[in-house]
Structure formats: structure tokens, C-alpha cells
Amino acid sequence: MGNTVAREDFEWVYTDQPHADRRKEILAKHPEIKALMKPDYNLIWVVVLMVVAQLTAFYLVKDLDWKWVIFWAYVFGSCISHSMTLAIHEISHNSAFGNSKAMWNRWFGIFANLPIGLPYSISFKRYHMDHHRYLGGDGIDVDIPTNFEGWFFCTRFRKFIWIVLQPFFYAIRPLCINPKPITRLEIINLLAQLSFDVVIYYLWGVKSTFYMLAGSVLGLGLHPISGHFIAEHYMFLKGHETYSYYGPLNLLTFNVGYHNEHHDFPNIPGKSLPLVKKIAAEYYDNLPQYNSWIKVLYDFVMDDTISPYSRMKRQLKGEVKQD
């Protein structure tokens, strides 16, 4: 239980990320994939229905016993909240309204953010674009854990705690690694979220407010869907930086499991990523892949050679352009 993992630093690499080169190869061989680079307008209605579902849940839990509020926050609210963060991920790539209406996507992201309870959408978009452009970039990609995380969470028990505290680390890591000036849209996101939270508390009370916030925290921590945080880029096999997951939870997560496909083609909505894999099967079928996010979480905790240090990291050269 107290075994210390062997790794003592990140895996530093001195090559570019593989996704740009693979994208060029695939498009040269399968130019029909370009037809998939268009908005997914169904995303708009799915997000609206998810917001309505959470509003309905806020109302239904307001008079329940606390044990049932907590139960439903984990069983239902957490799934909707985590799914909504991945809808916001889609929106950050302008998948709802297209690149020609970028601001429509930003406003829609703020709307989608409301039932999560914590302002998230605008800041996520700014940092997530860096993650795609500079995957593993030292001091830029805040998806990479801090040195403290790698050093401290080095036993099975501590890795388990690290998984539970994922929402906390994702919130504070940007401030430690790559703080950015606050923008006008981030202030609007914050004010809209605070106003929404106050309205929910005023209308339906503390239980509804707790359900909203607890569902978000629980859904992003020790939860089956949270396996994607580790499955996407943690290096279970040396030399492999990005991994895809092809299990059933893709149905709740806008196909975020198709992660090699997503990094190769970030302007293709999640709905169409299975088609990318089907068309270019020769590029994806033989890459390392997962079928269970729960097993990923279990293996991460129990494998003494894996830790938050198990990431590829790059020293970036040349001009770095950030959002």
C-alpha cells in the first residue's frame, strides 16, 4: 500500500508531437475526411436538454433527505455535470456554431456552464487551445501535473487521493504553471455563474445548491468517467503519448475517448470521430487503446511504475502564441 513508484521525473522528449504529421498523412490518403470538418448543430439541442434536465433535478431534490441529495448528486448529477464539461470541450472547438461564429460558441459555453455551478467555460477554452498547440509544452500545457504532484503523489494511497482531488488540481494548476491575465469574457462568465447560483439558492434552497456543486466536484473526482483524465495522455506504454478509449462511456462524453482522432483532427466534432477511425483504420487500429476507464483508474493506482510523472514533456522552442 505504501510502495513508492520508481519514476522520479517526467519523460522529456525532444521531438514534435505526432498529431500534425499524422493529420497530413491521413488527409493526403483520405481527403474525404475534410467533409467531416463542420459544426454539429445537434450539439446545441443536446446541451439545452442537459441544462433542462439539471434544472428539473435541482427542483426535485430540494425537499429530499440529505442522504438522498448526496446519493443523487453522485449517481445522476455527477454524470450530467461531467458530461457537460465535455460538451463545453466540444464548444471550445467551435463545434456548436462553427468557426465563423466564434463568439456564439463563447456565449453558448457560458450558458452550458450554468448547471455546473462553477465558472469554467471561458478559461477552459483559453488553456485547452494551448494543450492542442503545445502538447506537453513545459510551462504552457497545464494538463501536465506540477512537479509537486509528481513528487508527492507517489504511493498507491496518495495516487488514490490525487484522483479524488482532480477538480482541485485542475483548478489551481493553471495559476501555478501558466497564469494569464483575466479577460472580459472570464469576468462575464464569473458574474453569470454567480447570478445563476444565487437564483438557484433563492428559489430552491441549500439542498439544490449543494446538489449542483457536489455533483460537479464528485463527477470530476473519483468517478468512472474521470478515467478519461488519465487515459488520454498518461504513459502506460513508453513512447506512446496519446491513447484512445473505445468503450460505452463515449455515449455520455461526446466521444472524447477517441482521443488520438481528436488530437489529429481537433476541428472535427466528437460525433464524427468514429467515422475518422473507420475511414483511416490503418492509422488507429494498432495504436494502444482502452476499453474501460474504470480499469485505467485501477491500474493507475495499483501499478507502482505509474504516477503523475508519467507524462511526456517538451521544452518548447521558437515563438509561442497563446490565447
Side-chain angles (χ1 to χ4, degrees):
M1 192 76 170
N3 291 351
T4 302
V5 297
R7 185 180 297 276
E8 296 179 354
D9 195 5
F10 297 102
E11 183 79 15
W12 287 88
V13 293
Y14 302 93
T15 57
D16 292 334
Q17 57 167 297
H19 300 289
D21 288 342
R22 187 160 60 218
R23 176 167 56 250
K24 291 177 183 177
E25 281 189 40
I26 291 174
L27 286 177
K29 190 172 181 179
H30 301 287
E32 65 271 26
I33 284 178
K34 293 179 181 178
L36 302 176
M37 299 176 183
K38 58 185 179 181
D40 174 16
Y41 295 117
N42 288 331
L43 176 63
I44 299 168
W45 307 114
V46 172
V47 167
V48 170
L49 288 174
M50 290 169 69
V51 171
V52 170
Q54 277 295 67
L55 287 173
T56 302
F58 296 162
Y59 173 77
L60 292 175
V61 303
K62 67 185 180 68
D63 296 320
L64 293 180
D65 289 340
W66 275 107
K67 63 182 179 182
W68 290 112
V69 175
I70 296 170
F71 173 82
W72 287 114
Y74 187 78
V75 171
F76 183 76
S78 63
C79 296
I80 296 291
S81 288
H82 200 141
S83 183
M84 189 64 88
T85 68
L86 294 168
I88 289 171
H89 167 253
E90 288 284 290
I91 296 165
S92 76
H93 286 280
N94 294 334
S95 292
F97 295 97
N99 293 321
S100 64
K101 296 180 178 178
M103 280 305 299
W104 288 37
N105 289 281
R106 302 294 77 75
W107 293 119
F108 192 56
I110 292 173
F111 168 75
N113 196 154
L114 294 177
I116 294 174
L118 301 167
Y120 162 81
S121 177
I122 299 300
S123 297
F124 172 78
K125 193 260 192 244
R126 298 179 71 197
Y127 284 103
H128 188 64
M129 295 305 102
D130 294 340
H131 171 65
H132 275 274
R133 292 191 194 108
Y134 308 112
L135 181 64
D138 183 34
I140 302 295
D141 184 0
V142 299
D143 193 60
I144 298 286
T146 61
N147 284 315
F148 170 79
E149 291 171 72
W151 168 77
F152 184 77
F153 295 98
C154 58
T155 68
R156 293 178 184 179
F157 176 73
R158 291 182 188 180
K159 287 191 289 179
F160 175 81
I161 298 300
W162 184 76
I163 289 172
V164 173
L165 296 178
Q166 280 293 291
F168 172 76
F169 288 114
Y170 271 95
I172 67 166
R173 200 181 286 150
L175 304 177
C176 300
I177 294 177
N178 186 18
K180 297 184 179 186
I182 296 174
T183 65
R184 182 179 66 92
L185 276 178
E186 285 175 305
I187 294 172
I188 293 172
N189 193 176
L190 172 63
L191 293 176
Q193 191 63 62
L194 290 176
S195 300
F196 179 82
D197 295 352
V198 168
V199 169
I200 294 300
Y201 178 79
Y202 177 79
L203 289 177
W204 296 321
V206 68
K207 290 181 179 178
S208 296
T209 307
F210 175 86
Y211 168 90
M212 172 173 60
L213 298 173
S216 297
V217 173
L218 293 170
L220 295 169
L222 187 63
H223 194 281
I225 296 176
S226 292
H228 81 86
F229 289 134
I230 293 170
E232 290 166 359
H233 297 293
Y234 284 81
M235 198 168 47
F236 282 79
L237 290 176
K238 188 174 177 64
H240 290 277
E241 187 168 14
T242 306
Y243 302 76
S244 288
Y245 157 83
Y246 300 124
L249 289 176
N250 277 310
L251 296 173
L252 297 177
T253 58
F254 301 91
N255 286 328
V256 75
Y258 288 76
H259 217 65
N260 268 301
E261 295 84 346
H262 172 60
H263 271 267
D264 289 352
F265 299 98
N267 55 344
I268 294 180
K271 179 189 74 172
S272 299
L273 292 178
L275 274 176
V276 172
K277 181 180 184 297
K278 182 177 180 181
I279 292 169
E282 69 273 24
Y283 287 91
Y284 297 112
D285 285 352
N286 293 322
L287 292 177
Q289 56 192 251
Y290 302 112
N291 291 303
S292 170
W293 278 334
I294 294 176
K295 187 175 188 303
V296 168
L297 291 171
Y298 177 84
D299 289 346
F300 179 82
V301 171
M302 300 305 293
D303 189 333
D304 294 330
T305 67
I306 303 295
S307 78
Y309 270 142
S310 301
R311 293 290 299 264
M312 285 191 182
K313 203 170 183 181
R314 292 179 171 83
Q315 189 72 50
L316 296 175
K317 300 177 181 179
E319 185 180 3
V320 174
K321 297 180 180 180
Q322 301 184 66
D323 279 8

